[in-house]
Amino acid sequence: MTENRMEQPMNENKIISLDRKELMGVFLRFSCFPMVTINYERFQTLQYFSALAPVLKKLYPNKEDQISAAKRHMAFYNTTPEWMGFTLGMNCAQEEQIANMPQGEERSALEDSVNTIKASLMGPLAGIGDSLRATVEAIIGALAAGFAMNGSIFGAILFFVLGNAYYFGISYFGFFYTYKNGMKVIRDMNKSGILDRLMESATILGMTAVGALIPSWVGFKLTSAIQIGDYVLNIQQELDNIIPGLAPLALTICLAWLYKKNISSLKLVGLIFVFSLIISLIL
């Protein structure tokens, strides 16, 4: 697991390297239990350190080095859980390199860079991760809801399977990709702009899927008819002749606009109830 990652400086001691089993242990500890130690003082810090602890113990046989490494990874950390692997993989590569370096300024500089990497990446990763997760969950939820609304248990199964496939897929790829490539991954992302393109594509796809499902999800129809002399005006039919699903679309846009104006979801529910009551009395 050392090729194409970080150049490993040689020292007088035997090279200490991490094997696949140990790396899988880190992956499983952070991916299966990402939020078990979260608190409002350090957020994900304890879980982050817990995932790395066995690796640090192997890399640093000396107790003083173990304590120093533990202190490095007890600094504040918080990001979208499945994207934690991107910094964890890079930190594993850094710690492996540090463990095989002789004491000196170069080693101290690399030790200092461990938390610099974590602090500089956790914010951008959280922004990307939260946005992408919202888009993916909207798409998966839309697919699952179609089955669930028809009374099929397959909707719940689909949501569970696809949701976990996304979560573990991102976690696995991020961790092992950054471990293998080290700092190269940052340069590649900055040059290619791949994350920006991925976010834009996912957002377009998510908005399209949600927009197409509005007529099915939003049960808003004006079923009453208005008598105008000998002519009977069917409001819903006329609206459908203009744009099918126009009524639920208009209601959804109105509610989205109100939500954007900081009106809480609870107030919106009450507003929908009052609006429905008024419409039912008028029409």
Side-chain angles (χ1 to χ4, degrees), residues 142-154:
L143 294 173
F147 291 98
M149 292 176 70
N150 291 324
S152 174
I153 194 175
F154 184 68

Side-chain angles (χ1 to χ4, degrees), residues 7-241:
E7 184 180 351
Q8 293 280 0
M10 298 291 292
N11 58 24
E12 298 176 357
N13 301 318
K14 182 180 178 181
I15 294 295
I16 305 174
S17 60
L18 302 174
D19 57 35
R20 178 77 177 183
K21 181 179 179 181
E22 290 158 343
L23 292 172
M24 279 298 297
V26 176
F27 164 71
L28 291 174
R29 279 189 293 276
F30 87 82
S31 61
C32 293
F33 310 100
M35 307 290 281
V36 294
T37 63
I38 194 165
N39 60 77
Y40 289 104
E41 180 185 2
R42 295 180 181 268
F43 281 79
Q44 296 171 329
T45 302
L46 293 176
Q47 184 58 38
Y48 198 98
F49 171 68
S50 176
L52 279 175
V55 162
L56 297 177
K57 190 173 183 179
K58 175 184 177 178
L59 291 175
Y60 302 107
N62 185 289
K63 188 173 182 179
E64 291 183 359
D65 290 336
Q66 290 179 11
I67 294 173
S68 178
K71 288 181 178 179
R72 282 198 295 274
H73 292 286
M74 284 302 291
F76 177 87
Y77 186 84
N78 187 47
T79 194
T80 307
E82 63 269 26
W83 289 69
M84 190 189 298
F86 280 83
T87 50
L88 262 171
M90 201 174 301
N91 282 167
C92 282
Q94 289 177 297
E95 294 293 353
E96 187 175 349
Q97 184 178 7
I98 292 169
N100 290 290
M101 294 178 69
Q103 295 291 341
E105 292 184 3
E106 188 176 355
R107 174 167 172 160
S108 296
L110 188 55
E111 289 174 347
D112 293 338
S113 73
V114 170
N115 275 324
T116 302
I117 291 294
K118 291 168 63 177
S120 61
L121 287 182
M122 66 179 181
L125 289 177
I128 295 168
D130 289 349
S131 301
L132 186 61
R133 175 192 273 191
T135 301
V136 171
E137 286 186 347
I139 296 171
I140 296 174
L143 294 173
F147 291 98
M149 292 176 70
N150 291 324
S152 174
I153 194 175
F154 184 68
I157 296 173
L158 185 67
F159 188 83
F160 177 81
V161 171
L162 293 183
N164 279 284
Y166 163 75
Y167 174 82
F168 284 103
I170 290 289
S171 300
Y172 184 90
F173 170 78
F175 177 70
F176 284 99
Y177 179 74
T178 53
Y179 171 75
K180 182 178 180 181
N181 292 280
M183 295 298 295
K184 180 177 178 292
V185 66
I186 298 178
R187 294 192 295 269
D188 290 346
M189 288 180 178
N190 288 335
K191 288 180 181 178
S192 66
I194 186 171
L195 290 178
D196 292 334
R197 294 199 299 270
L198 178 63
M199 276 302 306
E200 183 179 359
S201 301
T203 301
I204 293 172
L205 179 60
M207 295 301 293
T208 302
V210 172
L213 285 165
I214 285 176
S216 300
W217 281 16
V218 182
F220 179 49
K221 292 184 178 181
L222 303 173
T223 56
S224 298
I226 299 176
Q227 183 78 33
I228 305 175
D230 295 332
Y231 177 72
V232 178
L233 175 63
N234 188 312
I235 300 175
Q236 185 61 51
Q237 184 177 343
E238 294 300 325
L239 289 175
D240 288 340
N241 288 336

